[in-house]
Amino acid sequence: MSEEEFTFTPDGWVKMWAKGFIGFHFKIVHPVIKEFHSWLCDGKTNQRIFLPLCGKSLDMMWLAEQGHQVVGLDCVDQAAKEFFEENKIQYTVNDIQGIEGGKLFKSADGKIEFYVCDFFKISSDIMGQCDAIWDIGGLFAITGYDQKDKYVDHLKPLLKSGGRILLDLAEPKLKPGETAPEWDESLYEADVKRMFAWCSSIKLAQTYDYADINEHLTKDPSSGDGDECSFEAYGKVYHLIAK
Ligand SMILES: C[S@@+](CC[C@H](N)C(=O)[O-])C[C@H]1O[C@@H](n2cnc3c(N)ncnc32)[C@H](O)[C@@H]1O
């Protein structure tokens, strides 16, 4: 992807989607949600699970199939349309009262709600609160440490007290002695502890190698002659519980 061409703003994401630069999209249900689903739901069914900055993640469909109410949010309406249409889910679309230009896509069976709007414009008055959050790629997509802090603060009122968060963060693979490149905005365990100080429990639950799942990522137009998209990183999976 040419960095001059795209910006990580809602308008920039609309352009990226339009040009097919969605190399972050997994063509499978993510193994992390499958592995930690029982923890996230505390063994319960019919939980309201929020996926902020969801893209067209297949995890939403899978979670609905597990008996949950799913709430996705992305600023790109192409993501919502592709999610429902590619998965052959009947849906309705309505304006979001209180957010200019915002759209609420809803599956005909009512199990999946997909808010199309800037994340920073959503509130619990509009979408209500959720029991749990599955966040992958959200903090990566928001640039600037001040904005990342704002993102985490904005999540807090959307989650019930005692609610759980499954958080997947990418960390670059560094050789011994190597430091992260200047442009890198990865977040480490100490950052997670600081940013989520409103949680009573924060645990690093798993570290995995992105190389093991890269083959399931979507190729984007810059991938060349059929090479899968690759990202030299570790996935760090955190378990958090809100106070
Ligand atoms: C790195 S992708 C991750 C998508 C998804 N979580 C996944 O794993 O497939 C980030 C997504 O966030 C969306 N996004 C970026 N900034 C946003 C914002 N301010 N409000 C809502 N969505 C946003 C983009 O359109 C994109 O689909």
Side-chain angles (χ1 to χ4, degrees):
M1 165 167 63
S2 150
E3 276 155 31
E4 303 79 63
E5 224 182 309
F6 298 121
T7 54
F8 277 24
T9 59
D11 284 348
W13 285 99
V14 169
K15 286 184 195 144
M16 277 190 252
W17 273 88
K19 296 203 168 173
F21 284 90
I22 55 160
F24 52 80
H25 175 66
F26 282 96
K27 293 174 282 179
I28 55 166
V29 176
H30 202 285
V32 166
I33 186 64
K34 282 188 156 178
E35 182 166 356
F36 294 112
H37 160 249
S38 306
W39 176 83
L40 183 63
C41 301
D42 199 13
K44 299 173 197 149
T45 54
N46 201 23
Q47 296 291 282
R48 190 156 194 260
I49 305 179
F50 181 40
L51 291 86
L53 281 58
C54 58
K56 55 174 179 175
S57 169
L58 296 174
D59 305 354
M60 291 189 277
M61 200 168 67
W62 186 81
L63 285 166
E65 285 165 2
Q66 307 313 302
H68 301 296
Q69 297 288 319
V70 176
V71 183
L73 182 148
D74 201 284
C75 57
V76 180
D77 85 342
Q78 182 181 341
K81 280 190 193 131
E82 289 184 7
F83 170 73
F84 287 102
E85 287 169 15
E86 289 173 5
N87 295 304
K88 300 187 175 32
I89 302 170
Q90 302 246 340
Y91 64 97
T92 55
V93 189
N94 285 293
D95 291 343
I96 304 175
Q97 299 306 318
I99 301 181
E100 207 187 317
K103 299 270 175 224
L104 173 58
F105 288 62
K106 202 168 184 174
S107 62
D109 64 8
K111 289 184 178 166
I112 304 177
E113 290 170 298
F114 192 133
Y115 288 84
V116 174
C117 63
D118 182 352
F119 170 74
F120 292 105
K121 296 198 172 148
I122 200 74
S123 66
S124 57
D125 287 346
I126 295 172
M127 71 161 239
Q129 285 189 306
C130 55
D131 300 298
I133 294 175
W134 165 219
D135 189 327
I136 175 165
L139 279 161
F140 175 83
I142 300 294
T143 50
Y145 288 109
D146 55 336
Q147 291 301 301
K148 289 181 198 292
D149 283 346
K150 204 174 137 198
Y151 173 92
V152 171
D153 291 345
H154 200 78
L155 269 182
K156 181 176 182 272
L158 304 175
L159 182 64
K160 288 180 188 166
S161 170
R164 295 184 170 209
I165 306 172
L166 181 63
L167 175 68
D168 185 305
L169 294 177
E171 254 184 48
K173 275 187 193 171
L174 300 174
K175 296 190 184 80
E178 204 179 9
T179 50
E182 214 171 288
W183 49 262
D184 178 67
E185 285 190 351
S186 295
L187 297 169
Y188 298 87
E189 193 168 355
D191 301 306
V192 176
K193 288 190 167 148
R194 178 186 58 77
M195 294 165 87
F196 287 89
W198 47 272
C199 287
S200 56
S201 167
I202 301 175
K203 286 190 183 127
L204 175 61
Q206 190 184 67
T207 298
Y208 67 95
D209 193 332
Y210 267 46
D212 295 339
I213 52 171
N214 269 343
E215 64 180 297
H216 301 294
L217 282 167
T218 306
K219 294 181 184 82
D220 69 28
S222 62
S223 310
D225 54 356
D227 284 351
E228 69 274 3
C229 176
S230 65
F231 187 36
E232 285 291 311
Y234 293 112
K236 298 271 175 164
V237 181
Y238 294 91
H239 287 180
L240 302 100
I241 304 179
K243 284 179 188 159

